[in-house]
Amino acid sequence: MFDTAKEIDGFLRQLFSICRSITGNGNRETLRVLQEIIPLTLHEVSSGTRVYDWVVPDEWNIRDASISTMDNRRIVDFKENNLHLVSYSEPVKGTYTWNELQSHLHLHPEIPEAVPYRTSYYKRDWGFCVTAAQYRELEQQKVPFKVVIDSSLEPGSLTYGEMLISGQSRREILISCYICHPAMANDSLSGVLLTAFLARELLAKRDRYYSYRIVFVPETIGAVTYCALNESAMKRIDTALVITTVGGPGKFGYKKSFDASHVINRLIEEVLNETGEEYLIYPFDIHGSDERQYSSQGFRINTATICRDRYYEYPQYHTSLDNLDFVTARQISETLVLYRRLIEKFEALRYYRNTLPDCEVMLSRHGLYPETGGAQQPELNGRSELDIILWLLFLCDGSLDIDSIACRLNVLSSELLAVAGKLVSKGVLEIV
Ligand code: ZN
């Protein structure tokens, strides 16, 4: 694990200060760096492309931005921290008085030393995010300021990265993360790097059962775009992980998928219980990350997230304090271990299907029924071999895994597997 943490650390430092957004060269640069970890394919989707109810926006690129005194002393400097500029700020070059500038400044409501993270993707605007000290310094100046935003906002494209890893089964698991946040480490560079390292492990894994669809998209518009352009494949997917905020120092937590009884939630709880540590559970909610798209009516993919200091929950969220003091490669690699265990559990799931689903199977024809009829009553706890056979034939329709059935019947998976094996040998069950 030490080596992985060391590698993650190198990439954290390399990627942290790149100015990412929902489009632009920062995203391309980030994805190209990730290609050093995994063979990602990059896709470009033109501005103006209609994707369901959304439209891919113009591409934004930023070279420099500052608020300076008339003698060119920079008070607010994008090059010091890219959070100083509201993402998607349109180009500006001019002289502004304090009164004119004030409405374009954003302060964190609670933490004076924090630079807040603000965006204006769908309203043409510009602005700067400052600390309380910078705000005071600007306010005290009696003379106008030079404001420069050397940006471009014009037709171009939205960039996303994708990698498909095939397994024995064509059944896919979606693993998604978002690449649109500038200089913040937990939300969500931590998720981007964990996804890349998890993908590298999946690629190296022998005898993969499932196929994996790994996507690196800008949040919301990128996930919507991905769904629209890959609609038929995405509509076949049943399970997904959105990997974000995985590198804080706090407790592990997980956000459930919309169907609390879905197997992904049970497996995540098993993984978390095995750590022996307390963890947080967030029920499904319509707020959150790209599970909002993947769980929507048209797709209904059960999407869960294992996290550590989840978005919304930690004071440094969406500020300059979500930095490399708060997030460490070791913390990310500890969460990576949990995702690795989750995948192992997923890979171990087994599904069976009744080969004779129309009415009951005539058990005696297959040597599965006690020879003297009439005396068979369900046992008190309903757990004789005959009961288990009947339940297996009732429940095994190819969609419910054997561990879920074991939980439901309150028997050991090993007992159930033994009986299932017998039914497979008689030809009345088949492994899906
Ligand atoms: Zn965020």
Side-chain angles (χ1 to χ4, degrees), residues 23-38:
T23 63
N25 290 329
N27 293 13
R28 293 186 189 100
E29 191 185 342
T30 298
L31 292 170
R32 280 197 285 266
V33 171
L34 295 176
Q35 283 176 324
E36 295 170 24
I37 308 170
I38 43 170

Side-chain angles (χ1 to χ4, degrees), residues 68-243:
S68 313
T69 57
M70 294 311 281
D71 57 357
N72 294 323
R73 185 174 61 84
R74 288 186 173 216
I75 300 175
V76 184
D77 187 354
F78 167 82
K79 285 185 173 159
E80 259 177 28
N81 188 328
N82 57 38
L83 292 179
H84 277 313
L85 185 67
V86 171
S87 188
Y88 259 68
S89 283
E90 56 186 0
V92 171
K93 190 170 188 185
T95 307
Y96 288 79
T97 63
W98 166 248
N99 282 343
E100 290 166 330
L101 185 63
Q102 203 179 4
S103 62
H104 292 282
L105 297 180
H106 302 268
L107 272 174
H108 194 278
E110 282 150 24
I111 311 175
E113 68 274 24
V115 180
Y117 167 52
R118 297 287 181 267
T119 65
S120 188
Y121 300 139
Y122 297 105
K123 179 183 167 232
R124 289 235 166 188
D125 200 357
W126 61 272
F128 286 86
C129 303
V130 294
T131 64
Q134 286 174 317
Y135 190 90
R136 271 195 306 276
E137 189 178 352
L138 291 165
E139 194 176 21
Q140 283 159 9
Q141 298 275 333
K142 299 284 183 271
V143 287
F145 307 95
K146 282 186 187 172
V147 175
V148 176
I149 301 176
D150 181 12
S151 66
S152 59
L153 184 50
E154 49 205 27
S157 56
L158 174 152
T159 315
Y160 69 83
E162 173 190 53
M163 185 170 81
L164 304 175
I165 305 176
S166 59
Q168 293 163 33
S169 168
R170 287 179 61 207
R171 210 173 146 182
E172 288 183 359
I173 294 174
L174 172 69
I175 300 179
S176 176
C177 66
Y178 52 91
I179 53 164
C180 52
H181 283 44
M184 286 171 289
N186 199 34
D187 183 19
S188 181
L189 185 54
S190 66
V192 171
L193 284 173
L194 192 150
T195 302
F197 278 83
L198 184 64
R200 187 174 77 176
E201 290 183 9
L202 284 167
L203 203 56
K205 190 175 173 61
R206 286 159 164 250
D207 302 326
R208 286 181 302 269
Y209 180 70
Y210 291 100
S211 297
Y212 294 86
R213 181 174 291 263
I214 321 271
V215 300
F216 296 76
V217 288
E219 198 174 22
T220 307
I221 184 65
V224 172
T225 300
Y226 191 84
C227 287
L229 299 184
N230 298 277
E231 187 183 87
S232 57
M234 290 292 281
K235 289 203 169 184
R236 285 195 298 270
I237 296 177
D238 156 75
T239 307
L241 295 165
V242 164
I243 302 186

Side-chain angles (χ1 to χ4, degrees), residues 367-368 385 389 416-429:
L368 292 166
E385 187 181 81
I389 289 171
L416 213 52
L417 277 171
V419 181
K422 186 170 173 179
L423 298 187
V424 170
S425 72
K426 301 284 186 183
V428 295
L429 274 192

